Amino acid sequence: MRTLTLMISILLLFAFTIPASGENFGAPVCETPEALAQSCINSLQTGDFVAFATLLHPEEIELFTDIIDIASSMDSTGSVTMMLFHVDSPDDFATMDKEELIGNFLRVMMDQQQGILESFRTATFTLLGSVPEKDMVHVLYRMSFVIQGIPFETVDIITARQYENTWRMELDAEIKGALEVLKTKLSNN
């Protein structure tokens, strides 16, 4: 149970630090890192978390789904899996696309946070610029939003990496590291 609690905590951390940084189903072609950032923002504002998940780089999707697969194999009744991924049965879980599972998970997590979806819908995003680094480009943006009547403003990045003829989102290093640690811990149980 402690491992399951740790898994849920890491997944929650992942869900609330997005965005940070194909063959993804339904993924739009983003010809520039800025177009990727705009697609990420649009999917958050419309609450389309499956579309958001399709914007992840395939390597990021694999890391996330490795953890999903390990964790679901530890859930003998399927009840936690069904709750976290908004599916009616373990069979539904087994037949869903990876991006759909990630999107459903993000939706479940966001639904738990009062006001967060409305904050994304009404937020203003301003792209501030981009910084190339090796095979990546970091797109800097400012987000202004209100949660429960309290105004917030944050500056953050979306890291983009080219994949075939498009750009896809990378997870930030802290989230990626936490997911790798979780994957290792789950694999050793």
Side-chain angles (χ1 to χ4, degrees), residues 99-143:
E99 295 86 354
E100 193 172 4
L101 285 172
I102 295 169
N104 281 4
F105 170 76
L106 294 174
R107 165 62 73 181
V108 167
M109 294 300 106
M110 294 298 178
D111 284 347
Q112 301 298 313
Q113 301 301 310
Q114 183 180 9
I116 195 86
L117 290 175
E118 184 61 25
S119 296
F120 279 131
R121 283 187 197 103
T122 59
T124 58
F125 292 85
T126 306
L127 296 180
L128 302 173
S130 55
V131 179
E133 178 189 16
K134 298 179 185 173
D135 64 338
M136 300 176 288
V137 175
H138 307 286
V139 181
L140 185 68
Y141 67 93
R142 174 179 290 116
M143 181 171 87

Side-chain angles (χ1 to χ4, degrees), residues 16-136:
F16 295 110
T17 57
I18 290 176
S21 79
E23 211 165 62
N24 308 11
F25 82 96
V29 173
C30 298
E31 294 182 2
T32 65
E34 294 78 10
L36 170 66
Q38 192 61 58
S39 291
C40 292
I41 290 166
N42 292 346
S43 63
L44 287 175
Q45 288 194 297
T46 60
D48 189 346
F49 296 106
V50 174
F52 185 84
T54 68
L55 298 169
L56 287 168
H57 193 280
E59 290 175 13
E60 310 301 322
I61 291 172
E62 286 305 314
L63 173 59
F64 191 65
T65 54
D66 285 349
I67 293 167
I68 292 170
D69 292 342
I70 295 166
S72 66
S73 71
M74 296 171 65
D75 182 17
S76 60
T77 66
S79 60
V80 174
T81 300
M82 291 186 313
M83 179 192 69
L84 284 176
F85 299 99
H86 193 64
V87 295
D88 295 327
S89 74
D91 292 337
D92 291 344
F93 176 82
T95 61
M96 292 176 78
D97 291 306
K98 295 172 186 178
E99 295 86 354
E100 193 172 4
L101 285 172
I102 295 169
N104 281 4
F105 170 76
L106 294 174
R107 165 62 73 181
V108 167
M109 294 300 106
M110 294 298 178
D111 284 347
Q112 301 298 313
Q113 301 301 310
Q114 183 180 9
I116 195 86
L117 290 175
E118 184 61 25
S119 296
F120 279 131
R121 283 187 197 103
T122 59
T124 58
F125 292 85
T126 306
L127 296 180
L128 302 173
S130 55
V131 179
E133 178 189 16
K134 298 179 185 173
D135 64 338
M136 300 176 288

Side-chain angles (χ1 to χ4, degrees), residues 6 68 70 73 88 90 94 114 122 152 156 163 166 181-182 189:
L6 175 62
I68 292 170
I70 295 166
S73 71
D88 295 327
Q114 183 180 9
T122 59
F152 293 90
D156 209 339
Y163 175 73
T166 190
V181 167
L182 178 60
N189 283 334

